Amino acid sequence: MALSETENGCPGGEGGESIVQTCVLGGFSESSETRALLSSLLEVHGDIATTESATQRFLVIMNRYQEQPHLLDPHLEWMLDMLLELVRSETSPASLVHLAFKFLYITCKVRGYKIFMQLLPHEVADVQPVLDLLSKQDPNDSETWETRYMLLLWLSMTCLIPFDLYRLDGHLGSDGGKVREPTMDRILAIAKSYLLVSDSPRDAASVLVSKFMTRPDVKQKCLGEFLDWSLTAISQTNDESIGDIMVLDGALQSLATLFKHGKRDDVLQYAPAVMRCLEQKRLSESSQAMLRKLGVKLIQRLGLTFLKPRLAAWRYQRGNRSLAANLSASQSTTVSTAAPPVAEARDVEEDYDIPEEVETVIEHLLLGLKDMETIVRWSAAKGIGRVTGRLPKELADEVVGSVLDCFSFQETDNAWHGGCLALAELGRRGLLLPSRLTDVVPLIVKSLTYDEKRGACSVGSNVRDAACYVCWSFARAYEPKELEPFVTQIASSLVITAVFDRNVNCRRAASAAFQENVGRQGTFPHGIDILTAADYFAVGNLNNCYLNISVYVASFPQYTKAMIDHLIAMKINHWDGVIRELATKALHNLTPQAPDYMATTVLPQLLPVAVGVDLHGRHGAILACAEITHALYKLGRQTNRTVVDIISSECVDRLKNIHHTLNDRKQYRGFGGELMRPAMCCLIEKLSLSKLPFKNEPVISGWQWLIDDTIKSSVKDANMVAVVSALSALCEEYYQSELGTADSQMQEVLVSQYIEGLKSHQMLTRCGSALALGCLPGFMIHGKLKQILEGLTQMCTVSQKEGTFTESRRDAVRAIAQVVVKVAVCAHGSPDSALCSENVAEVYGALLNRMNDYTTDSRGDVGAWVREAAMSSLMEVTLLVAGSAPEILQPDLVKCMMCCLAQQAGEKIDRYRAHAGNAFLRLLHSTEPAVPHIPQREELMSIFPVETTTSLNWNAPSQAFKYITQLLGLPQYQYHTLLGITVSVGGITESTVHFSSLSLFDHLRGIQDHSAALTQFGDVLLSIFRDNLRNDRVSIPFLKMLNQILANSCFEIFTTQENHPFCLDLLNLCKEFRKAKAISKLRACISVLCGLIQFQGDVRKKVLSQLLMLLSHSFPVIRKTTASQMYEMLLTYDDVIEPEVLDDVMTLLSDTNWEGDLSTVRTQRNQLCDWLGVPRPQAVTKQVS
C-alpha cells in the first residue's frame, strides 16, 4: 500500500528511514524553456553531443511532472504541433524525424498513452502518410524504437475515422508493375509484425489491434482470421525460448485488449475457442511472470464476455464516493443503501443463465490469487472483483467463500496476500455484503499480524501491507453502523501494526488505514489523538514507535491490554533480536499503564516460556521478565511497597530458579548460549536493582559463576556490556556486609580473580576482566586500589610493547578512569583507597603512555582505539581532580596532557582529531571546575574563544587546521603540534593533506621575516626528525612534508647563507636513510635531497655526492627515480653546475637506461661525477671474519 505525502517545500524527514514525499508544483513553469528547446531541434539534430544534451534536459523537465502530469495538459497541444511539424516536413532528414518522435515518446510516457494519443491528429488525410512512414521503419533498429512506438499509437487513432477503409484505396491497379495492397491488409500486416517484436512497440501494437479490429468494416472481414492467427501463435509456441516468449506476449496482449474494447456481441462467439486454447496452454504453470499475468488478464476478460454487462442489483452501496458529499448528505437526509426491492432483484437474477465457462474462469482467477508474483495476484484480484459484480447473489457469495479459503494456515503467504487484495476489491465494489463481515474481519485481523518464519528471516510483510489496504477500503465502503461491531478489533489491530510492525512500509500503511477509518467512520476510540502521535512520519522510526508512541497509545484503556498481549504473543519470540529487545523495553514502559495485569497475568504467563524449548521465545521471555519486574519495583517504590508485595511468591521462586533450570539443561553452551548468557545477565541486573531478597542464598553463587564464566568464555564486546552491568548491580545489592562496606571474602576473591584474568592468553578474557574491575562499586575497590591500578597498568605496558591485545588495552584504560572516579579524591589519603598525591602521577603516567599507542595490524591503526579511550579518561580524571583536590595536579602532568591532546588534534584521522580537539577545548574552557596549570592559557584563549566549543567542526580539515597551526607559535606546544601536523601534511588523504599544508604554509609565510622564529621552527623540525629516524609512521610523512616546505621556498633566508647549520644537520640525518630498504622512504629522501640543493656553499657538493651514490643503488626503481628527480632539479636550479657541461649532464641523465645492468650504470654515474666535480664513490669491500 503505497502512500505519497505532498507538502509545499522540498522533501525532508527523520529517523534514518526513507520518507516518500514530493514537492507540489503549481503549473508547467518550464513552458518557455521547453518551447525554446523544441525550436532548437532543427539546429542540434546533426550533432550527437548537442542532441544528447537537449534530450537529457527535456527528460529532466518532463520527469518533474511524473507525479502531477495533468499540469502538462494545457501545453500538450502546442508541444505536439511543434514536433509534428518537424515530422511532416518533407525537408526534415531522418535523424530529425527520429529525434522529434523521441521527444513525443518522452511526453507520452509522462502523461500516459491513453490521454496523449487522443491529441494525435486523426483525419482521413493522416492515414496514408502514417502508414507509409511506418512501412519504411526497420523493426530491428534498436536506436529508433520510439519512432515506431509513436507511429503505432498514431495509426491506432487514425483507425477511428468513421469511413470504410476500402474508400481510401481508390483504384488498386498496377503501380509500376506491382498491385497496390489494400489499406486494411497493410494495417493488419503491420499490427501482426509488431506483435512479434521484443521491444516496446509490441505494447503499442496491441493498442492498434484493439482500435483496428473493433471497426465495423474490419471485424466482418478480418476478426475471425486474426483470432485464428493469434490462437495458432499461442498453441505453437512455448515459454522456453526468448523468441517464443515475445510471440506469446504479443498475442496475449492483443487478445486481452481486443476482448476489453470489443463489443460483446462481436467477440462472444470466439470466446469459447480462446478459452479452450488457454486451458490447453496451461499458462499458470509457465515460468514467466508476465505471461502468467497476461493469461489471468485475458481469462478475466473472457469471463466478462461470457457474462452480460449488468450491474449487480444486490450490491451494497454506501452512498456517494465523495467524502464532502457524504457529509453534506448526512446533514440533510440520511443516506440509505440504494438497493432495489428484493422481489425485483430476484426476478432479474432468475431471468439470467450463467454460462458453464464462467466457473472455469473463476477457478483460474482463484488460482491466480496464489501465484508467486504480486503482479499476477493483483490482476487476479481485480478480475475476481469485476466478474463477481456480474454474478447473481448466491453465486457471488460462493466466490467470496472461495476467496476466504485462501486464509488457511496451510496456504502460503502468496495465497494470504492474494486473498487480501481480492477482499479489498470486493469490498470497494460493494460486493462483500455486511453479513459476511463476521467471517472476514477475524481473517483480516490475523493478516495484520501474519509473520511466517523462513530460515533466518520471515515472510509476510506483503500480507500485512495488503491487510492494511483492506481496512482502508472498508473505511470507504461501509456505513459506520455496519462496522460498529468490529471497531474494537480493527482499531486495536491497526494501532498494533502501526506501532509494532518491523517493516516501515507496513507501519505507514497501517497509520494511513487508521487515518482513513477515523475520517470516514468516525467511530475509532481516541482516533484524532492517536493520529496526532502516530502519523505517517512519526511511525518511520522504529525505536520511537516502541519506546514512545506505544506508551502514549497505551494510555487509552481500549488499547492497553491488546498491545501488551500482542507483544507477549508475537514480539518477544520474534526471529529478529532487535525486535525482541525493543519489545521487552516497551513492556517495561507499558507496565505503569496496567501494573496489576502485568503482575498477575503477564508475568506468570512468561515464566514457563523463559525455561521453554524455543530459543528465541526463551531469550525474549527472560528479558521481558527482567524488564517487567524492574518496572514493578519502581512503581512499588512510589507507594513504599517492595516488589515481593506486588508479585506472588510463586513468581519470585520461579524467577530465582531460571538460572538453575538453564544450567541443568546445559543451555548456556553452544549457539544458544550466545543469547542466553547476556539475557540472564540482564535478568541478574534487573532483579538485583529490584532488591529481591536473595542475599546469602545459593542462587547468588550461581549468578556469580555465570558472570565469571561468561567473562572467561570470550564473549563479544556487545554482550560484555550486559555482563559488567549485571556484576555491578549484583555487588551493589548482595556483597555489602553493612552499608558502604564490602564483604571482605567476596572482595578478595573477585579482585584477585579479575587481576589474574588480565594476564590471560585470551584477548576477550582480558577485556572482560578489565571492564569487570572498572564496574566494581566503590566499596569493593576500597583497600584494593593500588593492586587494581598496578594490574591494569602492567597489562597495558606489556601488551603495548608486544603490539598485541589492543582491545584489552582500550578497556583497561577505560577501567582506570572508572576505578578512579568511583574512589574518593583526597590529597592526603591512602593510595590504596583514594586518588591522592602519592598515586596521581602513576595514574596520569599510565594514561599518558597510552596516548603514544600507534599499534597497527591488518585492520589499520588499531592503536587509535586506545588513544581515544586515553583522551576520554584523561579528561574525566582531570575534571574530577580539579574539582576535588586541584593541589595534587602537578604542572608537568597538565602540560604533558595538553601537549598530547594538541598533537592528537593535528593528526590525520578525522574522528580521533575531533575527539582530541573537543577534549582540549573542554579542559581549556572548563570553569566549574577550572583546570589549573594549563601552559599559556591566555594565548590559548585568544586562539580558541569560548564560542569555538560549539562552532568549530574538528572533523572538517578545512576548519580544524586553521586553528591548530596557530599553536605552532606557542613554544610550549610547538613540538607536539608539529609532530601531529607532520602525519597530516605527509599523509595520503587528499582533503587532509590539502588543508593541513595550506595552514602550515600560511604560518611559515607569517614568520619569514622573523629569523629567530624561523630558526626555532627549524630546530623543532630537526628534533622531530632526529627523534623519529627509525619510526616509519613519522619519518616518511616527515620527508614528504619537508619536500613540500623546501619546494615552497619556506627557508629562503637560510639559503642565502653558505653552509647554514640547518641544511648540514638535515643532510646528515638524510644520510641515515641511504641504506633503507623501504622504496617509499628512499623516494621521499631523494626529493628532500634535491630540495636541499638550493642551499649555498659546500653543502651542494655533499648533496650531489649523496644523489650520485643513489644513482648506483641496488634497486633499479631508485636509480630511475634519482635520475628523473635530478633532471628536474637541474632544470629548476640552473646555477648548480657549470653551463659548459650542463647539456652533457642533462643528456646523460635522460638517455641512460638507469634500470639496466649495474656495472654499466656505474660507468655512466662516474662520468657524471667527473663532470660535476664530485669524487667518485668507492666500493667498500666487506671483510669476512
Side-chain angles (χ1 to χ4, degrees), residues 17-317:
E17 299 190 43
S18 60
I19 291 177
V20 180
Q21 189 174 0
T22 57
C23 296
V24 174
L25 301 169
F28 187 39
S29 57
E30 293 90 349
S31 173
S32 56
E33 184 184 354
T34 303
R35 192 182 292 272
L37 199 60
L38 297 182
S39 301
S40 69
L41 295 185
L42 197 59
E43 290 78 31
V44 305
H45 73 89
D47 183 38
I48 295 177
T50 54
T51 301
E52 284 189 2
S53 176
T55 307
Q56 284 303 314
R57 182 57 195 155
F58 191 67
L59 269 171
V60 169
I61 293 172
M62 289 291 111
N63 285 341
R64 288 191 66 201
Y65 299 90
Q66 289 274 20
E67 300 285 336
Q68 298 169 271
H70 59 277
L71 297 177
L72 299 174
D73 288 353
H75 307 271
L76 289 177
E77 190 170 347
W78 63 259
M79 292 168 63
L80 189 64
D81 289 344
M82 290 182 71
L83 290 168
L84 289 182
E85 186 179 348
L86 298 175
V87 171
R88 286 169 163 164
S89 173
E90 294 181 359
T91 59
S92 296
S95 60
L96 180 58
V97 172
H98 291 314
L99 184 59
F101 275 117
K102 180 173 282 193
F103 275 60
L104 281 170
Y105 171 76
I106 293 169
T107 313
C108 176
K109 180 190 68 173
V110 173
R111 189 60 189 98
Y113 80 89
K114 292 180 182 178
I115 300 292
F116 188 77
M117 67 185 292
Q118 294 173 16
L119 302 174
L120 292 167
H122 44 279
E123 303 293 332
V124 173
D126 295 312
V127 177
Q128 287 299 335
V130 173
L131 202 52
D132 291 341
L133 190 55
L134 193 52
S135 301
K136 295 175 184 176
Q137 302 303 312
D138 178 8
N140 298 318
D141 186 358
S142 60
E143 298 295 325
T144 60
W145 62 268
E146 293 99 335
T147 303
R148 301 192 295 278
Y149 182 92
M150 291 309 304
L151 282 171
L152 286 166
L153 288 183
W154 195 356
L155 187 59
S156 304
M157 286 305 299
T158 60
C159 288
L160 298 180
I161 57 173
F163 306 107
D164 284 348
L165 292 177
Y166 76 86
R167 294 187 178 184
L168 305 179
D169 295 333
H171 182 62
L172 291 178
S174 60
D175 183 9
K178 294 182 181 178
V179 178
R180 282 199 300 124
E181 195 176 2
T183 303
M184 187 183 297
D185 294 346
R186 289 180 68 192
I187 295 175
L188 183 59
I190 285 173
K192 286 181 179 179
S193 65
Y194 278 102
L195 284 174
L196 307 179
V197 298
S198 59
D199 48 7
S200 292
R202 184 178 65 245
D203 303 331
S206 66
V207 177
L208 172 61
V209 167
S210 69
K211 303 291 185 186
F212 176 68
M213 283 296 169
T214 53
R215 288 178 54 86
D217 54 339
V218 175
K219 66 187 178 186
Q220 294 175 2
K221 297 180 180 179
C222 304
L223 182 58
E225 178 195 344
F226 177 78
L227 289 172
D228 287 342
W229 175 84
S230 299
L231 295 180
T232 303
I234 292 172
S235 58
Q236 291 181 352
T237 55
N238 56 57
D239 61 350
E240 293 178 3
S241 69
I242 297 295
D244 284 358
I245 290 172
M246 297 308 163
V247 172
L248 270 173
D249 187 294
L252 291 171
Q253 270 199 70
S254 62
L255 289 175
T257 55
L258 189 56
F259 277 92
K260 177 181 179 179
H261 295 288
K263 290 183 180 179
R264 180 173 181 266
D265 295 339
D266 297 332
V267 295
L268 180 59
Q269 56 181 317
Y270 304 108
V274 176
M275 192 73 200
R276 285 193 298 274
C277 180
L278 290 178
E279 285 189 290
Q280 293 170 3
K281 193 64 184 172
R282 297 180 179 273
L283 286 174
S284 60
E285 299 174 8
S286 170
S287 61
Q288 300 296 317
M290 186 53 67
L291 295 182
R292 299 200 302 274
K293 182 214 169 185
L294 289 172
V296 167
K297 195 171 186 177
L298 178 54
I299 282 173
Q300 64 169 284
R301 291 297 168 192
L302 290 171
L304 294 173
T305 303
F306 289 127
L307 295 166
K308 291 181 180 178
R310 63 176 63 194
L311 210 55
W314 52 266
R315 75 191 189 285
Y316 176 84
Q317 291 178 279

